[in-house]
């Protein structure tokens, strides 16, 4: 990530990093491994729910630690603006989980790594210093996130909101048609026809988000 942050083509631009989007249709080989090892019980485990498993927590912790290290190592450089966004968020409690349970450990891990590399001045590695230059945000791609949008907007920690219209339309269609979660696949032939109809109700939801 350090190389991307300082790449000449990205200087002054936004480098937006999305953490792992766990969905069986996107990570089929990974899901087979997780099932085989007993990490998850079935392929319906996905979305933010995966971040509550031991595997998901470690995945998120390592990604955030790597991002913090890259951020610190490029302080003062002519670089891209780093944004980290979280996918498939539904409820503000999930953001609190990241802020209160995962991020502090990632900050501590990054600090320990920097100290272990022989950094001359440990006092500079405050939380504010380590996180300076990183903006945090979320994907707006679940019906629940849209319903809770005002609550998310009230959280000053979230400064980036990225619309994930493909997933939002898929999940919103499941709700509209009262299908079970995960009951609709992206490549279902009838779904491709359905979404081409530009349903006015869905268009109004997009307008409401904006």
């Amino acid at each position: 990530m350090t190389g991307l942050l300082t790449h000449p083509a990205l200087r002054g631009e936004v480098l937006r990093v999305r953490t792992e989007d766990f969905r069986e249709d996107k990570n089929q080989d990974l899901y087979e491994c997780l099932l085989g090892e007993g990490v998850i019980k079935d392929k319906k485990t996905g979305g933010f729910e995966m971040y509550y498993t031991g595997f998901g927590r470690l995945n998120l912790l390592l990604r955030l630690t790597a991002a913090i290290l890259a951020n610190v190592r490029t302080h003062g450089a002519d670089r891209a603006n780093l944004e980290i966004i979280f996918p498939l968020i539904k409820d503000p409690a999930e953001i609190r989980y990241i802020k209160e349970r995962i991020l502090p450990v990632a900050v501590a891990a990054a600090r320990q790594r920097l100290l272990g590399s022989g950094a001359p001045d440990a006092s500079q590695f405050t939380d504010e210093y380590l996180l300076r230059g990183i903006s945090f945000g979320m994907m707006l791609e679940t019906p629940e996130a849209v319903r809770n949008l005002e609550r998310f907007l009230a959280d000053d920690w979230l400064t980036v909101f990225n619309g994930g219209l493909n997933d939002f339309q898929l999940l919103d269609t499941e709700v509209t048609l009262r299908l079970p979660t995960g009951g609709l696949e992206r490549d279902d032939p009838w779904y491709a026809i359905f979404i081409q109809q530009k349903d006015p109700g869905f268009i109004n939801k997009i307008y409401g988000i904006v």
Side-chain angles (χ1 to χ4, degrees), residues 5 67-76 79 110 114 124-125 129-132 134:
L5 279 170
I68 293 168
L69 287 170
N71 178 59
V72 171
R73 288 166 177 163
T74 56
H75 273 346
R79 55 169 246 188
L114 290 165
Q124 68 176 308
F125 297 131
Y129 178 83
L130 295 177
L131 296 176
R132 189 177 70 215
I134 303 178

Side-chain angles (χ1 to χ4, degrees), residues 70-139:
N71 178 59
V72 171
R73 288 166 177 163
T74 56
H75 273 346
D78 187 7
R79 55 169 246 188
N81 300 305
L82 179 58
E83 296 179 352
I84 300 175
I85 57 175
F86 305 101
L88 295 170
I89 296 288
K90 295 180 180 180
D91 190 272
E94 295 167 340
I95 295 298
R96 289 196 300 273
Y97 172 75
I98 295 171
K99 289 195 296 184
E100 298 173 7
R101 300 286 300 279
I102 305 297
L103 187 60
V105 180
V107 167
R111 181 183 295 113
Q112 189 64 38
R113 181 65 181 270
L114 290 165
L115 294 175
S117 63
D121 184 9
S123 64
Q124 68 176 308
F125 297 131
T126 62
D127 290 7
E128 188 277 333
Y129 178 83
L130 295 177
L131 296 176
R132 189 177 70 215
I134 303 178
S135 298
F136 293 96
M138 58 176 282
M139 296 290 294

Side-chain angles (χ1 to χ4, degrees), residues 50-68:
M50 184 69 85
Y51 285 132
Y52 290 116
T53 69
F55 171 81
R57 283 195 301 272
L58 180 60
N59 178 284
L60 184 55
L61 171 62
L62 292 176
R63 284 180 176 272
L64 290 178
T65 301
I68 293 168

